[in-house]
Amino acid sequence: QVQLVESRGGLVQAGGSLRLSCAASGRTFSAYAMGWFRQAPGKEREFVATINYIGSSTDYADSVKGRFTISRDNAKNTAYLQMNSLKPEDTAVYYCAASSFAGLQIDTRAYDYWGQGTQVTVSS
């Protein structure tokens, strides 16, 4: 079992920045690929970013490429999502997830464990 706890999100103005963290406990964090997903009201959960188990590779949704950065610190059992140049359309509940497939994973079905989600609201 892996337990994931996201940091508190928040309210930020358009153009602002926010960093989310995801603290993991339980089984070996470094064995899992990590991902961030988001879900806006009335929409399906969508992929945002993923990082492989050692942090050497990343992938992003086109909508956040160049603005968001995913990273991880295996010594601290924590993954991060740095969000810059935020837009109102980034407003959603953000979830971190862990996949036992160690490589990059963009499909929700590849993830075994999920955090509880944290609200990010971007005002215009």
Side-chain angles (χ1 to χ4, degrees), residues 51-86:
I51 188 167
N52 71 343
Y53 71 114
I54 57 172
S56 61
S57 295
T58 59
D59 195 11
Y60 298 91
D62 288 343
S63 59
V64 306
K65 203 168 290 184
R67 299 188 298 121
F68 289 13
T69 302
I70 187 172
S71 61
R72 66 189 297 159
D73 185 338
N74 285 347
K76 295 183 178 180
N77 289 352
T78 303
Y80 304 95
L81 185 68
Q82 177 67 45
M83 303 183 291
N84 298 329
S85 302
L86 282 160

PDB file of all heavy atoms in Angstrom, residues 51-86:
ATOM      1  N   ILE A  51       6.099  11.497 -14.225  1.00  0.00           N
ATOM      2  CA  ILE A  51       7.544  11.395 -14.077  1.00  0.00           C
ATOM      3  C   ILE A  51       7.890   9.946 -13.773  1.00  0.00           C
ATOM      4  O   ILE A  51       7.155   9.269 -13.043  1.00  0.00           O
ATOM      5  CB  ILE A  51       8.045  12.352 -12.975  1.00  0.00           C
ATOM      6  CG1 ILE A  51       9.573  12.410 -12.924  1.00  0.00           C
ATOM      7  CG2 ILE A  51       7.477  11.982 -11.609  1.00  0.00           C
ATOM      8  CD1 ILE A  51      10.107  13.573 -12.084  1.00  0.00           C
ATOM      9  N   ASN A  52       8.992   9.468 -14.338  1.00  0.00           N
ATOM     10  CA  ASN A  52       9.329   8.066 -14.108  1.00  0.00           C
ATOM     11  C   ASN A  52       9.909   7.868 -12.705  1.00  0.00           C
ATOM     12  O   ASN A  52      10.106   8.816 -11.947  1.00  0.00           O
ATOM     13  CB  ASN A  52      10.250   7.532 -15.198  1.00  0.00           C
ATOM     14  CG  ASN A  52      11.652   8.107 -15.125  1.00  0.00           C
ATOM     15  OD1 ASN A  52      11.882   9.122 -14.467  1.00  0.00           O
ATOM     16  ND2 ASN A  52      12.583   7.468 -15.807  1.00  0.00           N
ATOM     17  N   TYR A  53      10.209   6.622 -12.373  1.00  0.00           N
ATOM     18  CA  TYR A  53      10.529   6.279 -10.989  1.00  0.00           C
ATOM     19  C   TYR A  53      11.796   6.938 -10.462  1.00  0.00           C
ATOM     20  O   TYR A  53      11.909   7.188  -9.265  1.00  0.00           O
ATOM     21  CB  TYR A  53      10.612   4.762 -10.837  1.00  0.00           C
ATOM     22  CG  TYR A  53      11.819   4.114 -11.479  1.00  0.00           C
ATOM     23  CD1 TYR A  53      12.783   3.501 -10.709  1.00  0.00           C
ATOM     24  CD2 TYR A  53      11.984   4.101 -12.859  1.00  0.00           C
ATOM     25  CE1 TYR A  53      13.891   2.897 -11.277  1.00  0.00           C
ATOM     26  CE2 TYR A  53      13.078   3.510 -13.445  1.00  0.00           C
ATOM     27  CZ  TYR A  53      14.032   2.905 -12.653  1.00  0.00           C
ATOM     28  OH  TYR A  53      15.129   2.329 -13.237  1.00  0.00           O
ATOM     29  N   ILE A  54      12.746   7.259 -11.356  1.00  0.00           N
ATOM     30  CA  ILE A  54      13.984   7.880 -10.881  1.00  0.00           C
ATOM     31  C   ILE A  54      14.047   9.355 -11.224  1.00  0.00           C
ATOM     32  O   ILE A  54      15.021  10.019 -10.907  1.00  0.00           O
ATOM     33  CB  ILE A  54      15.240   7.157 -11.436  1.00  0.00           C
ATOM     34  CG1 ILE A  54      15.208   7.142 -12.968  1.00  0.00           C
ATOM     35  CG2 ILE A  54      15.348   5.766 -10.857  1.00  0.00           C
ATOM     36  CD1 ILE A  54      16.495   6.620 -13.584  1.00  0.00           C
ATOM     37  N   GLY A  55      13.019   9.850 -11.881  1.00  0.00           N
ATOM     38  CA  GLY A  55      12.976  11.269 -12.181  1.00  0.00           C
ATOM     39  C   GLY A  55      13.761  11.689 -13.404  1.00  0.00           C
ATOM     40  O   GLY A  55      14.026  12.884 -13.578  1.00  0.00           O
ATOM     41  N   SER A  56      14.124  10.753 -14.246  1.00  0.00           N
ATOM     42  CA  SER A  56      14.935  11.084 -15.417  1.00  0.00           C
ATOM     43  C   SER A  56      14.115  11.436 -16.646  1.00  0.00           C
ATOM     44  O   SER A  56      14.646  11.971 -17.620  1.00  0.00           O
ATOM     45  CB  SER A  56      15.876   9.920 -15.749  1.00  0.00           C
ATOM     46  OG  SER A  56      15.124   8.753 -16.047  1.00  0.00           O
ATOM     47  N   SER A  57      12.819  11.127 -16.614  1.00  0.00           N
ATOM     48  CA  SER A  57      11.950  11.410 -17.753  1.00  0.00           C
ATOM     49  C   SER A  57      10.626  11.976 -17.279  1.00  0.00           C
ATOM     50  O   SER A  57      10.118  11.572 -16.227  1.00  0.00           O
ATOM     51  CB  SER A  57      11.679  10.129 -18.554  1.00  0.00           C
ATOM     52  OG  SER A  57      12.856   9.639 -19.134  1.00  0.00           O
ATOM     53  N   THR A  58      10.082  12.885 -18.078  1.00  0.00           N
ATOM     54  CA  THR A  58       8.792  13.491 -17.764  1.00  0.00           C
ATOM     55  C   THR A  58       7.959  13.610 -19.033  1.00  0.00           C
ATOM     56  O   THR A  58       8.479  13.570 -20.148  1.00  0.00           O
ATOM     57  CB  THR A  58       8.957  14.889 -17.150  1.00  0.00           C
ATOM     58  OG1 THR A  58       9.670  15.727 -18.071  1.00  0.00           O
ATOM     59  CG2 THR A  58       9.714  14.840 -15.826  1.00  0.00           C
ATOM     60  N   ASP A  59       6.668  13.784 -18.840  1.00  0.00           N
ATOM     61  CA  ASP A  59       5.773  14.036 -19.960  1.00  0.00           C
ATOM     62  C   ASP A  59       4.641  14.923 -19.457  1.00  0.00           C
ATOM     63  O   ASP A  59       4.290  14.873 -18.271  1.00  0.00           O
ATOM     64  CB  ASP A  59       5.220  12.722 -20.521  1.00  0.00           C
ATOM     65  CG  ASP A  59       4.596  12.895 -21.893  1.00  0.00           C
ATOM     66  OD1 ASP A  59       4.769  13.976 -22.508  1.00  0.00           O
ATOM     67  OD2 ASP A  59       3.916  11.959 -22.359  1.00  0.00           O
ATOM     68  N   TYR A  60       4.083  15.708 -20.365  1.00  0.00           N
ATOM     69  CA  TYR A  60       3.063  16.678 -19.990  1.00  0.00           C
ATOM     70  C   TYR A  60       1.921  16.692 -20.986  1.00  0.00           C
ATOM     71  O   TYR A  60       2.107  16.421 -22.181  1.00  0.00           O
ATOM     72  CB  TYR A  60       3.677  18.089 -19.933  1.00  0.00           C
ATOM     73  CG  TYR A  60       4.770  18.245 -18.921  1.00  0.00           C
ATOM     74  CD1 TYR A  60       6.103  18.014 -19.267  1.00  0.00           C
ATOM     75  CD2 TYR A  60       4.480  18.616 -17.617  1.00  0.00           C
ATOM     76  CE1 TYR A  60       7.116  18.149 -18.333  1.00  0.00           C
ATOM     77  CE2 TYR A  60       5.495  18.758 -16.670  1.00  0.00           C
ATOM     78  CZ  TYR A  60       6.806  18.509 -17.047  1.00  0.00           C
ATOM     79  OH  TYR A  60       7.805  18.646 -16.111  1.00  0.00           O
ATOM     80  N   ALA A  61       0.761  17.070 -20.493  1.00  0.00           N
ATOM     81  CA  ALA A  61      -0.347  17.364 -21.394  1.00  0.00           C
ATOM     82  C   ALA A  61       0.002  18.616 -22.181  1.00  0.00           C
ATOM     83  O   ALA A  61       0.676  19.520 -21.670  1.00  0.00           O
ATOM     84  CB  ALA A  61      -1.626  17.573 -20.593  1.00  0.00           C
ATOM     85  N   ASP A  62      -0.464  18.674 -23.417  1.00  0.00           N
ATOM     86  CA  ASP A  62      -0.164  19.843 -24.250  1.00  0.00           C
ATOM     87  C   ASP A  62      -0.648  21.140 -23.601  1.00  0.00           C
ATOM     88  O   ASP A  62      -0.021  22.194 -23.761  1.00  0.00           O
ATOM     89  CB  ASP A  62      -0.820  19.690 -25.620  1.00  0.00           C
ATOM     90  CG  ASP A  62      -0.127  18.635 -26.476  1.00  0.00           C
ATOM     91  OD1 ASP A  62       1.018  18.259 -26.168  1.00  0.00           O
ATOM     92  OD2 ASP A  62      -0.753  18.190 -27.459  1.00  0.00           O
ATOM     93  N   SER A  63      -1.734  21.056 -22.861  1.00  0.00           N
ATOM     94  CA  SER A  63      -2.337  22.259 -22.276  1.00  0.00           C
ATOM     95  C   SER A  63      -1.478  22.888 -21.180  1.00  0.00           C
ATOM     96  O   SER A  63      -1.679  24.053 -20.834  1.00  0.00           O
ATOM     97  CB  SER A  63      -3.716  21.920 -21.705  1.00  0.00           C
ATOM     98  OG  SER A  63      -3.613  20.905 -20.722  1.00  0.00           O
ATOM     99  N   VAL A  64      -0.527  22.122 -20.636  1.00  0.00           N
ATOM    100  CA  VAL A  64       0.299  22.663 -19.549  1.00  0.00           C
ATOM    101  C   VAL A  64       1.778  22.699 -19.903  1.00  0.00           C
ATOM    102  O   VAL A  64       2.585  23.222 -19.126  1.00  0.00           O
ATOM    103  CB  VAL A  64       0.108  21.855 -18.243  1.00  0.00           C
ATOM    104  CG1 VAL A  64      -1.359  21.766 -17.873  1.00  0.00           C
ATOM    105  CG2 VAL A  64       0.735  20.484 -18.323  1.00  0.00           C
ATOM    106  N   LYS A  65       2.122  22.176 -21.051  1.00  0.00           N
ATOM    107  CA  LYS A  65       3.528  22.114 -21.460  1.00  0.00           C
ATOM    108  C   LYS A  65       4.125  23.514 -21.505  1.00  0.00           C
ATOM    109  O   LYS A  65       3.538  24.436 -22.062  1.00  0.00           O
ATOM    110  CB  LYS A  65       3.632  21.422 -22.816  1.00  0.00           C
ATOM    111  CG  LYS A  65       4.971  20.804 -23.114  1.00  0.00           C
ATOM    112  CD  LYS A  65       4.883  19.895 -24.340  1.00  0.00           C
ATOM    113  CE  LYS A  65       4.087  18.645 -24.062  1.00  0.00           C
ATOM    114  NZ  LYS A  65       4.080  17.699 -25.211  1.00  0.00           N
ATOM    115  N   GLY A  66       5.293  23.651 -20.890  1.00  0.00           N
ATOM    116  CA  GLY A  66       5.953  24.942 -20.849  1.00  0.00           C
ATOM    117  C   GLY A  66       5.549  25.802 -19.666  1.00  0.00           C
ATOM    118  O   GLY A  66       6.178  26.823 -19.387  1.00  0.00           O
ATOM    119  N   ARG A  67       4.487  25.413 -18.966  1.00  0.00           N
ATOM    120  CA  ARG A  67       4.023  26.177 -17.793  1.00  0.00           C
ATOM    121  C   ARG A  67       4.161  25.374 -16.501  1.00  0.00           C
ATOM    122  O   ARG A  67       4.426  25.965 -15.445  1.00  0.00           O
ATOM    123  CB  ARG A  67       2.552  26.576 -17.978  1.00  0.00           C
ATOM    124  CG  ARG A  67       2.301  27.448 -19.184  1.00  0.00           C
ATOM    125  CD  ARG A  67       0.850  27.971 -19.197  1.00  0.00           C
ATOM    126  NE  ARG A  67      -0.134  26.898 -19.276  1.00  0.00           N
ATOM    127  CZ  ARG A  67      -1.083  26.689 -18.366  1.00  0.00           C
ATOM    128  NH1 ARG A  67      -1.180  27.468 -17.300  1.00  0.00           N
ATOM    129  NH2 ARG A  67      -1.960  25.696 -18.534  1.00  0.00           N
ATOM    130  N   PHE A  68       3.953  24.070 -16.570  1.00  0.00           N
ATOM    131  CA  PHE A  68       4.008  23.213 -15.388  1.00  0.00           C
ATOM    132  C   PHE A  68       5.275  22.374 -15.424  1.00  0.00           C
ATOM    133  O   PHE A  68       5.749  21.985 -16.505  1.00  0.00           O
ATOM    134  CB  PHE A  68       2.807  22.276 -15.347  1.00  0.00           C
ATOM    135  CG  PHE A  68       1.477  22.935 -15.047  1.00  0.00           C
ATOM    136  CD1 PHE A  68       1.313  24.308 -15.098  1.00  0.00           C
ATOM    137  CD2 PHE A  68       0.381  22.156 -14.721  1.00  0.00           C
ATOM    138  CE1 PHE A  68       0.095  24.903 -14.833  1.00  0.00           C
ATOM    139  CE2 PHE A  68      -0.853  22.733 -14.444  1.00  0.00           C
ATOM    140  CZ  PHE A  68      -0.989  24.102 -14.507  1.00  0.00           C
ATOM    141  N   THR A  69       5.795  22.055 -14.240  1.00  0.00           N
ATOM    142  CA  THR A  69       6.959  21.186 -14.118  1.00  0.00           C
ATOM    143  C   THR A  69       6.711  20.165 -13.025  1.00  0.00           C
ATOM    144  O   THR A  69       6.399  20.538 -11.886  1.00  0.00           O
ATOM    145  CB  THR A  69       8.220  21.986 -13.782  1.00  0.00           C
ATOM    146  OG1 THR A  69       8.444  22.973 -14.796  1.00  0.00           O
ATOM    147  CG2 THR A  69       9.435  21.064 -13.710  1.00  0.00           C
ATOM    148  N   ILE A  70       6.865  18.903 -13.381  1.00  0.00           N
ATOM    149  CA  ILE A  70       6.756  17.833 -12.396  1.00  0.00           C
ATOM    150  C   ILE A  70       8.163  17.433 -11.959  1.00  0.00           C
ATOM    151  O   ILE A  70       9.098  17.414 -12.772  1.00  0.00           O
ATOM    152  CB  ILE A  70       5.979  16.623 -12.963  1.00  0.00           C
ATOM    153  CG1 ILE A  70       5.720  15.589 -11.862  1.00  0.00           C
ATOM    154  CG2 ILE A  70       6.695  16.010 -14.152  1.00  0.00           C
ATOM    155  CD1 ILE A  70       4.791  14.454 -12.312  1.00  0.00           C
ATOM    156  N   SER A  71       8.320  17.129 -10.695  1.00  0.00           N
ATOM    157  CA  SER A  71       9.615  16.686 -10.181  1.00  0.00           C
ATOM    158  C   SER A  71       9.364  15.758  -8.998  1.00  0.00           C
ATOM    159  O   SER A  71       8.233  15.611  -8.539  1.00  0.00           O
ATOM    160  CB  SER A  71      10.481  17.872  -9.761  1.00  0.00           C
ATOM    161  OG  SER A  71       9.853  18.618  -8.727  1.00  0.00           O
ATOM    162  N   ARG A  72      10.449  15.149  -8.527  1.00  0.00           N
ATOM    163  CA  ARG A  72      10.322  14.264  -7.374  1.00  0.00           C
ATOM    164  C   ARG A  72      11.617  14.278  -6.595  1.00  0.00           C
ATOM    165  O   ARG A  72      12.697  14.504  -7.155  1.00  0.00           O
ATOM    166  CB  ARG A  72       9.960  12.849  -7.809  1.00  0.00           C
ATOM    167  CG  ARG A  72      11.027  12.128  -8.603  1.00  0.00           C
ATOM    168  CD  ARG A  72      10.487  10.811  -9.173  1.00  0.00           C
ATOM    169  NE  ARG A  72      10.100   9.889  -8.114  1.00  0.00           N
ATOM    170  CZ  ARG A  72       9.255   8.877  -8.305  1.00  0.00           C
ATOM    171  NH1 ARG A  72       8.706   8.666  -9.495  1.00  0.00           N
ATOM    172  NH2 ARG A  72       8.952   8.066  -7.304  1.00  0.00           N
ATOM    173  N   ASP A  73      11.504  14.010  -5.312  1.00  0.00           N
ATOM    174  CA  ASP A  73      12.664  13.858  -4.437  1.00  0.00           C
ATOM    175  C   ASP A  73      12.478  12.523  -3.732  1.00  0.00           C
ATOM    176  O   ASP A  73      11.696  12.419  -2.767  1.00  0.00           O
ATOM    177  CB  ASP A  73      12.732  15.011  -3.437  1.00  0.00           C
ATOM    178  CG  ASP A  73      13.975  14.967  -2.577  1.00  0.00           C
ATOM    179  OD1 ASP A  73      14.572  13.882  -2.428  1.00  0.00           O
ATOM    180  OD2 ASP A  73      14.352  16.017  -2.046  1.00  0.00           O
ATOM    181  N   ASN A  74      13.156  11.516  -4.214  1.00  0.00           N
ATOM    182  CA  ASN A  74      12.962  10.175  -3.658  1.00  0.00           C
ATOM    183  C   ASN A  74      13.481  10.064  -2.222  1.00  0.00           C
ATOM    184  O   ASN A  74      13.003   9.232  -1.458  1.00  0.00           O
ATOM    185  CB  ASN A  74      13.615   9.127  -4.549  1.00  0.00           C
ATOM    186  CG  ASN A  74      12.811   8.870  -5.820  1.00  0.00           C
ATOM    187  OD1 ASN A  74      11.654   9.289  -5.942  1.00  0.00           O
ATOM    188  ND2 ASN A  74      13.424   8.192  -6.774  1.00  0.00           N
ATOM    189  N   ALA A  75      14.423  10.892  -1.868  1.00  0.00           N
ATOM    190  CA  ALA A  75      14.921  10.881  -0.490  1.00  0.00           C
ATOM    191  C   ALA A  75      13.869  11.396   0.489  1.00  0.00           C
ATOM    192  O   ALA A  75      13.873  11.041   1.661  1.00  0.00           O
ATOM    193  CB  ALA A  75      16.194  11.717  -0.389  1.00  0.00           C
ATOM    194  N   LYS A  76      12.964  12.238  -0.026  1.00  0.00           N
ATOM    195  CA  LYS A  76      11.907  12.806   0.816  1.00  0.00           C
ATOM    196  C   LYS A  76      10.547  12.161   0.548  1.00  0.00           C
ATOM    197  O   LYS A  76       9.538  12.596   1.109  1.00  0.00           O
ATOM    198  CB  LYS A  76      11.805  14.311   0.583  1.00  0.00           C
ATOM    199  CG  LYS A  76      13.041  15.078   1.020  1.00  0.00           C
ATOM    200  CD  LYS A  76      12.849  16.574   0.829  1.00  0.00           C
ATOM    201  CE  LYS A  76      14.065  17.339   1.309  1.00  0.00           C
ATOM    202  NZ  LYS A  76      13.909  18.806   1.127  1.00  0.00           N
ATOM    203  N   ASN A  77      10.522  11.169  -0.334  1.00  0.00           N
ATOM    204  CA  ASN A  77       9.262  10.495  -0.673  1.00  0.00           C
ATOM    205  C   ASN A  77       8.179  11.487  -1.107  1.00  0.00           C
ATOM    206  O   ASN A  77       7.015  11.388  -0.694  1.00  0.00           O
ATOM    207  CB  ASN A  77       8.749   9.666   0.515  1.00  0.00           C
ATOM    208  CG  ASN A  77       9.594   8.428   0.769  1.00  0.00           C
ATOM    209  OD1 ASN A  77      10.475   8.084  -0.011  1.00  0.00           O
ATOM    210  ND2 ASN A  77       9.337   7.763   1.880  1.00  0.00           N
ATOM    211  N   THR A  78       8.577  12.433  -1.916  1.00  0.00           N
ATOM    212  CA  THR A  78       7.657  13.504  -2.297  1.00  0.00           C
ATOM    213  C   THR A  78       7.762  13.807  -3.787  1.00  0.00           C
ATOM    214  O   THR A  78       8.864  13.840  -4.337  1.00  0.00           O
ATOM    215  CB  THR A  78       7.945  14.777  -1.483  1.00  0.00           C
ATOM    216  OG1 THR A  78       7.854  14.475  -0.081  1.00  0.00           O
ATOM    217  CG2 THR A  78       6.939  15.867  -1.809  1.00  0.00           C
ATOM    218  N   ALA A  79       6.615  14.047  -4.378  1.00  0.00           N
ATOM    219  CA  ALA A  79       6.543  14.523  -5.751  1.00  0.00           C
ATOM    220  C   ALA A  79       5.969  15.940  -5.735  1.00  0.00           C
ATOM    221  O   ALA A  79       5.255  16.325  -4.807  1.00  0.00           O
ATOM    222  CB  ALA A  79       5.665  13.610  -6.590  1.00  0.00           C
ATOM    223  N   TYR A  80       6.301  16.689  -6.776  1.00  0.00           N
ATOM    224  CA  TYR A  80       5.898  18.092  -6.833  1.00  0.00           C
ATOM    225  C   TYR A  80       5.292  18.421  -8.193  1.00  0.00           C
ATOM    226  O   TYR A  80       5.609  17.782  -9.200  1.00  0.00           O
ATOM    227  CB  TYR A  80       7.108  19.006  -6.600  1.00  0.00           C
ATOM    228  CG  TYR A  80       7.842  18.743  -5.317  1.00  0.00           C
ATOM    229  CD1 TYR A  80       8.953  17.907  -5.295  1.00  0.00           C
ATOM    230  CD2 TYR A  80       7.434  19.328  -4.125  1.00  0.00           C
ATOM    231  CE1 TYR A  80       9.635  17.653  -4.125  1.00  0.00           C
ATOM    232  CE2 TYR A  80       8.112  19.086  -2.940  1.00  0.00           C
ATOM    233  CZ  TYR A  80       9.211  18.239  -2.947  1.00  0.00           C
ATOM    234  OH  TYR A  80       9.884  17.996  -1.776  1.00  0.00           O
ATOM    235  N   LEU A  81       4.469  19.442  -8.187  1.00  0.00           N
ATOM    236  CA  LEU A  81       3.974  20.019  -9.439  1.00  0.00           C
ATOM    237  C   LEU A  81       4.069  21.528  -9.302  1.00  0.00           C
ATOM    238  O   LEU A  81       3.310  22.138  -8.552  1.00  0.00           O
ATOM    239  CB  LEU A  81       2.531  19.596  -9.724  1.00  0.00           C
ATOM    240  CG  LEU A  81       1.988  20.076 -11.072  1.00  0.00           C
ATOM    241  CD1 LEU A  81       2.709  19.362 -12.222  1.00  0.00           C
ATOM    242  CD2 LEU A  81       0.480  19.833 -11.172  1.00  0.00           C
ATOM    243  N   GLN A  82       5.031  22.095 -10.010  1.00  0.00           N
ATOM    244  CA  GLN A  82       5.184  23.552 -10.041  1.00  0.00           C
ATOM    245  C   GLN A  82       4.328  24.083 -11.188  1.00  0.00           C
ATOM    246  O   GLN A  82       4.516  23.681 -12.338  1.00  0.00           O
ATOM    247  CB  GLN A  82       6.644  23.930 -10.248  1.00  0.00           C
ATOM    248  CG  GLN A  82       6.884  25.422 -10.372  1.00  0.00           C
ATOM    249  CD  GLN A  82       6.613  26.168  -9.092  1.00  0.00           C
ATOM    250  OE1 GLN A  82       7.020  25.743  -8.014  1.00  0.00           O
ATOM    251  NE2 GLN A  82       5.924  27.302  -9.176  1.00  0.00           N
ATOM    252  N   MET A  83       3.431  24.985 -10.851  1.00  0.00           N
ATOM    253  CA  MET A  83       2.497  25.517 -11.849  1.00  0.00           C
ATOM    254  C   MET A  83       2.730  27.018 -11.983  1.00  0.00           C
ATOM    255  O   MET A  83       2.561  27.767 -11.027  1.00  0.00           O
ATOM    256  CB  MET A  83       1.052  25.233 -11.421  1.00  0.00           C
ATOM    257  CG  MET A  83       0.770  23.763 -11.192  1.00  0.00           C
ATOM    258  SD  MET A  83      -0.952  23.423 -10.776  1.00  0.00           S
ATOM    259  CE  MET A  83      -1.046  24.145  -9.142  1.00  0.00           C
ATOM    260  N   ASN A  84       3.147  27.434 -13.168  1.00  0.00           N
ATOM    261  CA  ASN A  84       3.400  28.844 -13.454  1.00  0.00           C
ATOM    262  C   ASN A  84       2.431  29.338 -14.525  1.00  0.00           C
ATOM    263  O   ASN A  84       1.810  28.538 -15.231  1.00  0.00           O
ATOM    264  CB  ASN A  84       4.832  29.037 -13.924  1.00  0.00           C
ATOM    265  CG  ASN A  84       5.856  28.639 -12.894  1.00  0.00           C
ATOM    266  OD1 ASN A  84       5.615  28.747 -11.685  1.00  0.00           O
ATOM    267  ND2 ASN A  84       7.011  28.185 -13.343  1.00  0.00           N
ATOM    268  N   SER A  85       2.328  30.636 -14.645  1.00  0.00           N
ATOM    269  CA  SER A  85       1.454  31.258 -15.659  1.00  0.00           C
ATOM    270  C   SER A  85       0.070  30.634 -15.654  1.00  0.00           C
ATOM    271  O   SER A  85      -0.474  30.259 -16.697  1.00  0.00           O
ATOM    272  CB  SER A  85       2.104  31.116 -17.045  1.00  0.00           C
ATOM    273  OG  SER A  85       3.380  31.717 -17.071  1.00  0.00           O
ATOM    274  N   LEU A  86      -0.478  30.525 -14.477  1.00  0.00           N
ATOM    275  CA  LEU A  86      -1.777  29.853 -14.336  1.00  0.00           C
ATOM    276  C   LEU A  86      -2.886  30.605 -15.055  1.00  0.00           C
ATOM    277  O   LEU A  86      -2.876  31.845 -15.133  1.00  0.00           O
ATOM    278  CB  LEU A  86      -2.116  29.686 -12.855  1.00  0.00           C
ATOM    279  CG  LEU A  86      -1.364  28.532 -12.173  1.00  0.00           C
ATOM    280  CD1 LEU A  86      -1.350  28.699 -10.663  1.00  0.00           C
ATOM    281  CD2 LEU A  86      -1.984  27.207 -12.570  1.00  0.00           C
TER     282      LEU A  86
END
